[in-house]
């Protein structure tokens, strides 16, 4: 798991040098080992935060791996905005990035709107939690299904 305060410590990704900080090495190692991922981003000016995008740019260090980038990984996507428009756009952007990294965005995308209503209350909290749980459940389901599929291919 890579929370925001760890991602914040990553230097801007530099493709011209193999030198990496300890946090960057750990991130790349975890991406290399992962069998599924959940990505979550705040909506910043209508799209993903630069912090998350910079972290994902480190996937370039997997370009020459036997498993190129995040090939074949199921990836759940969660976007949070103070409104629907930026949240939905951020979700679409996350899915495009996942696709570019050769991974599989899972079917249910979660958008959480933290804008308060006219009374100042944030509504829809239980729906948001259900939506997050569904993202997680679909990633787990996909990991198991992909594993079973690969095993049957190896066995045949
Ligand atoms: C630099 C910056 C840009 C933001 N841009 C948007 C935006 O375009 N649309 C939006 O709905 N929310 C925007 N937000 C709000 C964040 O998405 C929101 O703070 C985040 O989802 C966390 O929600 P919270 O502040 O209610 O905890 C922005 C926040 C920051 C700091």
């Amino acid at each position: 798991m890579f929370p925001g305060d760890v991602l914040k410590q990553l230097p801007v990704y530099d493709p011209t040098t193999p030198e990496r900080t300890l946090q960057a090495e750990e991130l790349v190692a975890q991406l290399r080992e992962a069998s599924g991922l959940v990505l979550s981003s705040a909506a910043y000016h209508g799209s993903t935060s630069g912090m998350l995008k910079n972290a994902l740019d480190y996937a370039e260090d997997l370009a020459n791996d036997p498993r190129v980038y995040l090939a074949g990984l199921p990836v759940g996507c969660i976007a949070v905005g103070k409104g629907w428009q930026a949240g939905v756009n951020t979700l679409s952007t996350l899915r495009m990035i996942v696709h570019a990294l050769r991974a599989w965005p899972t079917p249910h995308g979660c958008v959480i709107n933290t804008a308060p209503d006219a009374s100042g209350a944030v509504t829809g909290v239980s729906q948001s939690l259900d939506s997050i749980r569904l993202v997680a459940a679909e990633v787990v389901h996909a990991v198991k299904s992909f594993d079973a599929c690969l095993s049957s291919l190896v066995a045949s």
Side-chain angles (χ1 to χ4, degrees):
M1 186 175 153
F2 267 82
D5 55 346
V6 179
L7 297 187
K8 224 164 31 179
Q9 296 167 29
L10 293 173
V12 171
Y13 179 71
D14 182 354
T16 66
T17 170
E19 281 171 34
R20 300 289 174 243
T21 63
L22 283 179
Q23 285 94 348
E25 279 178 2
E26 178 63 21
L27 172 67
V28 173
Q30 287 202 22
L31 290 177
R32 188 171 275 133
E33 292 298 310
S35 47
L37 288 175
V38 174
L39 297 179
S40 169
S41 179
Y44 274 14
H45 305 304
S47 190
T48 52
S49 72
M51 186 175 75
L52 180 74
K53 182 60 172 59
N54 182 51
L56 290 172
D57 287 344
Y58 278 88
E60 189 60 25
D61 286 5
L62 308 175
N64 297 312
D65 274 23
R67 181 178 82 185
V68 179
Y69 298 127
L70 304 178
L73 281 195
V75 182
C77 297
I78 300 171
V80 188
K82 278 202 164 126
W84 291 115
Q85 186 166 279
V88 169
N89 196 52
T90 299
L91 175 68
S92 300
T93 304
L94 283 172
R95 288 174 151 171
M96 281 193 287
I97 295 169
V98 169
H99 190 242
L101 291 171
R102 307 188 191 183
W104 300 57
T106 51
H108 176 75
C110 171
V111 180
I112 296 171
N113 181 354
T114 63
D117 67 13
S119 72
V122 174
T123 58
V125 174
S126 74
Q127 288 97 328
S128 295
L129 288 173
D130 286 347
S131 182
I132 291 169
R133 287 191 193 101
L134 184 53
V135 168
E138 285 187 350
V139 171
V140 171
H141 177 73
V143 168
K144 289 179 180 166
S145 305
F146 289 7
D147 277 354
C149 183
L150 279 176
S151 307
S152 72
L153 282 175
V154 170
S156 61

